[in-house]
Amino acid sequence: MPRLLPTPSQTVGPYLSIGLPWPDGPYVVPEGTPGALWIRGTVRDGAGDPVPDAMIETWQADPEGGFHHPDDPRGEASGEFRAFGRCPTETDGTYGILTLLPGPLPGGGGTTQARHIDVSVFARGLLNRVVTRIYFADQDNSADPTLATVPAERRDTLIAAKTADGYRFDVRLQGDGETVFFAL
């Protein structure tokens, strides 16, 4: 009887664009919402090449810093802000999420977290998502307790640049200029 060898470990996708997107995915708010802005960028691999089969998910507070979630100790946020967006990358590795600028959040020990958006990145070769944050170049990020834990020379990988219609936030999965990812 021939001896069977174990099969190699499997990697993710490119299946993300098949079952995960939905029509409202990149629209945290409807087009035309007052104050709406685009978060746009490109996901790149370690060689700097665009990743055409990645998925970006965002989760954020509303403009007042509240969440529509029973675990928010400040009570439920007002309005119908969805707070969640999901967007597969295009063939050139680009993505776009239409949202509102989030409000600051209370942090531990009486601190305040700067305005930020939590981001999960799913891509080929990743068995688990990687998690990062988007901070905004034109906002005060100096006292954010999470950003303060990131070495100063790497913080720029978490800062989105202002554009005409929102912000640009590129993701580098590894290599030179790798985006800072957080262990959860």
Side-chain angles (χ1 to χ4, degrees), residues 11 15 18 21 36 41 63 87 115 143 148 156 162 177:
T11 60
Y15 310 113
I18 296 172
C87 182
R115 298 172 189 267
D156 65 322
K162 186 79 174 114

Side-chain angles (χ1 to χ4, degrees), residues 21 24 41 50 61-62 65 102 139 141 152 159-160 179-180:
D24 292 338
D62 68 17
Q139 301 294 312
N141 300 309
I159 309 293
T179 301
V180 170

Side-chain angles (χ1 to χ4, degrees), residues 61 64-67 72-74 103-114 116 133 145:
E64 288 78 43
F67 288 95
D72 188 338
R74 296 163 294 156
L105 297 168
T111 62
T112 299
Q113 297 181 49
H116 68 274
R133 280 185 169 188

Side-chain angles (χ1 to χ4, degrees), residues 26-27 31 36-40 96-99 163 165-168:
Y27 298 96
E31 289 185 278
L37 55 91
W38 281 99
I39 305 289
R40 291 191 171 108
I97 300 282
L98 185 67
T99 189
T163 64
D165 64 351
Y167 294 87
R168 178 163 188 91

Side-chain angles (χ1 to χ4, degrees), residues 6-18:
T7 42
S9 296
Q10 298 293 313
T11 60
V12 174
Y15 310 113
L16 300 171
S17 63
I18 296 172

Side-chain angles (χ1 to χ4, degrees), residues 108-181:
T111 62
T112 299
Q113 297 181 49
R115 298 172 189 267
H116 68 274
I117 297 176
D118 295 320
V119 179
S120 292
V121 182
F122 302 85
R124 60 180 147 89
L126 297 177
L127 295 178
N128 296 300
R129 69 183 172 139
V130 290
V131 178
T132 191
R133 280 185 169 188
I134 299 172
Y135 291 92
F136 304 95
D138 61 345
Q139 301 294 312
D140 181 9
N141 300 309
S142 61
D144 186 85
T146 301
L147 192 57
T149 67
V150 176
E153 66 275 8
R154 301 218 36 228
R155 288 183 191 151
D156 65 322
T157 70
L158 301 176
I159 309 293
K162 186 79 174 114
T163 64
D165 64 351
Y167 294 87
R168 178 163 188 91
F169 184 75
D170 294 323
V171 176
R172 181 77 181 253
L173 295 175
Q174 59 180 322
D176 291 337
E178 176 182 340
T179 301
V180 170
F181 299 108

